[in-house]
């Protein structure tokens, strides 16, 4: 028997091509007379690069995507007594950021196919205490932001966009992150514009909101006078070396995204006929698509996963239960409440490798393995 190849979900050689450059940047930052290792000139330049590429009013770097959500909630004065509607299917920061602000997360069910928050269900859960809607883009598909924008306008609510997985995506010509009053990005290595470390950003069309976030990320200082604290802030700053690395890699971001999009389009085309055999790909098309993760919905998810593992294809299951069923968040959900589509998504989603370093041969092999599984049922 020939040895099976291994196709990693997270490639260990993600930054190998940039190694020499990175080592040079370590020296540059270390020997810079400015001696700023956080929020220096490179961070300012990366903020301006982000801002101008988006045509946003501002982009504010901070410690992580999670921290970016917390900063936005704080800058909007959301706190005790307030409710924020978040998706029932998604990552912990969606609910935890709200809890850590002192407010209450209210969980909305998701669309059964795309797994993003359902705007109609979200609106049904609005009460007089609701302050904001906080949809999140999920895996490969952006949330229905036009509907969320309309719902927020109709109900007089703030709109926060968790675009941590969707940097580089657009919907109706508007970049992910700018549909809400504020959006967030995460630069954790596996995200679309990832780096070898921790960091995030708040992006917004609202310069005033950005000023507040900027102050809150650095102990309530306004950046002109040190040790003058206008309000109680926090420490959520950005590493200067990572900023240098992001500036170096930013020119290649569209090319890397394009490769992910190409792989996703190929998968979707190969998997389109499998719906009747219990494997459902995301809807085809480019608008409102992000390629952080490519996830199918499989009726026999665990069997498909085992089939792929045996053939050397690494896959990933993200959220095995809806957020309101997590021990940490169950207390914020009524005991008789149900999120049937979030539950189904938890039981059926399976993420396949989609990173830009995959070769055509890798991608064809992954698709062949999935099709062989579906045909064998
Ligand atoms: C990754 C992620 C976050 C958090 O970003 P970190 O940088 O890991 O803190 C928030 N929301 C979503 C949807 C994410 O995928």
């Amino acid at each position: 028997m020939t040895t099976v190849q291994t196709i990693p979900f997270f490639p260990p050689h993600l930054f190998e091509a940039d190694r020499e450059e990175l080592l040079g940047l370590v020296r540059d930052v270390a020997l810079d007379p400015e001696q700023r290792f956080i929020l220096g000139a490179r961070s300012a330049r990366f903020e301006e690069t982000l801002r101008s590429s988006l045509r946003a009013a501002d982009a504010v770097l901070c410690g992580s995507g999670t921290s970016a959500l917390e900063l936005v909630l704080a800058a909007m004065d959301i706190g005790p007594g307030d409710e924020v509607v978040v998706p029932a299917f998604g990552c912990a920061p969606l609910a935890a950021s709200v809890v850590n602000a002192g407010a209450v997360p209210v969980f909305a069910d998701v669309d059964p196919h795309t797994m993003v928050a359902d705007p109609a269900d979200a609106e049904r859960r609005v009460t007089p205490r609701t302050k904001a809607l906080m949809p999140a883009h999920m895996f490969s598909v952006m949330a229905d932001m036009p509907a969320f924008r309309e719902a927020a306008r109709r109900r007089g609510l703030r709109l926060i966009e968790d675009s941590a997985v969707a940097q580089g995506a657009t919907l109706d010509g508007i970049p992910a992150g700018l549909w809400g009053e504020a959006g967030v990005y995460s630069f954790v290595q596996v995200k679309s514009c990832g780096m070898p470390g921790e960091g995030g950003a708040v992006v917004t069309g609202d310069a005033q909101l950005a000023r507040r976030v900027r102050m809150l990320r650095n102990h309530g200082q306004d950046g002109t006078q040190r040790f003058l604290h206008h309000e109680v802030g926090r420490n959520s700053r950005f590493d200067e070396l990572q900023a240098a690395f992001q500036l170096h890699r930013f020119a290649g971001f569209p090319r890397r995204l394009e490769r992910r999009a190409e792989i996703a389009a190929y998968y979707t085309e190969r998997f389109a006929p499998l719906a009747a055999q219990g494997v459902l790909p995301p809807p085809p098309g480019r608008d409102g698509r992000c390629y952080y993760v490519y996830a199918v919905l499989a009726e026999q998810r665990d069997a498909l996963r085992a089939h792929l593992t045996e053939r050397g294809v690494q896959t990933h299951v993200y959220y095995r239960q809806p957020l309101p069923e997590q021990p940490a968040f169950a207390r914020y959900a009524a005991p008789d409440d149900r999120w049937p589509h979030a539950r189904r998504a938890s039981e059926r989603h399976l993420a396949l490798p989609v990173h830009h370093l995959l070769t055509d041969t890798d991608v064809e092999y992954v698709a062949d393995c999935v099709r062989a599984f579906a045909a064998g049922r």
Side-chain angles (χ1 to χ4, degrees):
M1 195 182 145
T2 54
T3 45
V4 285
Q5 55 182 316
T6 298
I7 299 183
F9 190 83
F10 298 125
H13 53 309
L14 191 56
F15 302 114
E16 183 57 16
D18 304 286
R19 176 159 50 110
E20 288 302 318
E21 185 70 26
L22 180 57
L23 293 175
L25 293 173
V26 172
R27 191 182 47 219
D28 292 351
V29 172
L31 297 179
D32 192 324
E34 193 189 40
Q35 286 296 292
R36 294 280 297 267
F37 294 89
I38 46 159
L39 296 184
R42 296 166 186 85
S43 298
R45 207 145 29 92
F46 183 40
E47 285 182 332
E48 176 51 25
T49 300
L50 274 179
R51 190 204 63 73
S52 61
S53 70
L54 294 163
R55 296 170 208 246
D58 209 348
V60 185
L61 294 174
C62 63
S64 68
T66 302
S67 186
L69 290 176
E70 293 174 350
L71 287 165
V72 169
L73 290 164
M76 289 181 174
D77 290 311
I78 290 170
D82 299 334
E83 294 176 356
V84 178
V85 182
V86 304
F89 181 69
C91 61
L94 280 165
S97 61
V98 175
V99 173
N100 286 330
V104 172
V106 172
F107 299 99
D109 205 2
V110 298
D111 179 276
H113 184 188
T114 58
M115 298 181 262
V116 293
D118 171 1
D121 194 64
E123 203 173 347
R124 260 196 301 282
R125 294 171 187 271
V126 170
T127 75
R129 291 178 298 281
T130 308
K131 276 287 165 61
L133 302 175
M134 191 158 91
H137 310 313
M138 181 56 55
F139 303 146
S140 316
V141 185
M142 281 176 66
D144 184 351
M145 294 311 294
F148 272 103
R149 218 182 229 189
E150 180 52 29
R153 192 197 56 76
R154 207 165 33 234
R155 302 295 195 126
L157 301 171
R158 312 296 305 257
L159 181 60
I160 304 166
E161 181 183 358
D162 185 345
S163 43
V165 303
Q167 188 179 356
T170 60
L171 173 63
D172 298 345
I174 297 178
L178 293 186
W179 275 95
E181 288 171 69
V184 307
Y185 297 146
S186 163
F187 304 124
V188 158
Q189 90 268 16
V190 293
K191 301 284 163 88
S192 64
C193 194
M195 62 190 196
E198 182 106 284
V202 173
V203 296
T204 177
D206 181 341
Q208 197 125 355
L209 187 70
R211 242 189 322 275
R212 187 94 193 274
V213 169
R214 216 170 258 290
M215 204 139 67
L216 288 167
R217 77 171 168 180
N218 195 8
H219 302 297
Q221 301 166 101
D222 65 13
T224 61
Q225 191 181 343
R226 280 190 77 192
F227 306 120
L228 173 62
H229 306 278
H230 300 281
E231 61 179 322
V232 179
R234 54 195 75 196
N235 177 357
S236 177
R237 302 177 300 208
F238 200 79
D239 187 291
E240 191 66 359
L241 176 60
Q242 299 290 357
F245 189 68
Q246 289 297 68
L247 281 167
H248 154 66
R249 274 182 111 237
F250 200 71
F253 180 43
R255 202 176 54 243
R256 294 193 297 274
L257 267 186
E258 180 57 31
R259 178 60 183 157
R260 285 170 177 259
E262 199 177 275
I263 296 168
Y266 173 80
Y267 282 155
T268 296
E269 192 188 314
R270 294 282 317 272
F271 302 156
L274 306 186
Q277 286 130 286
V279 178
L280 183 66
R286 282 288 184 99
D287 196 33
R289 295 290 177 280
C290 42
Y291 308 103
Y292 157 59
V293 154
Y294 185 91
V296 297
L297 287 167
E299 276 167 27
Q300 299 188 340
R301 191 260 312 276
D302 295 337
L304 172 58
R305 187 170 198 213
H307 173 92
L308 292 171
T309 304
E310 273 167 31
R311 284 154 186 81
V313 178
Q314 291 184 355
T315 59
H316 220 63
V317 171
Y318 279 79
Y319 317 118
R320 288 181 180 275
Q321 57 252 73
L323 284 171
E325 293 179 19
Q326 291 276 0
F329 307 120
R331 57 191 289 211
Y332 301 102
D336 58 343
D337 213 341
R338 293 291 177 272
W339 299 265
H341 300 315
R343 168 128 290 286
R344 251 177 66 100
S346 303
E347 289 163 355
R348 296 192 175 182
H349 78 279
L350 184 68
L352 309 176
V354 75
H355 59 82
H356 70 281
L357 295 174
L358 293 168
T359 66
D360 287 353
T361 314
D362 292 337
V363 176
E364 283 162 25
Y365 178 71
V366 173
D368 289 345
C369 289
V370 172
R371 284 186 58 130
F373 175 82
R377 288 183 62 229

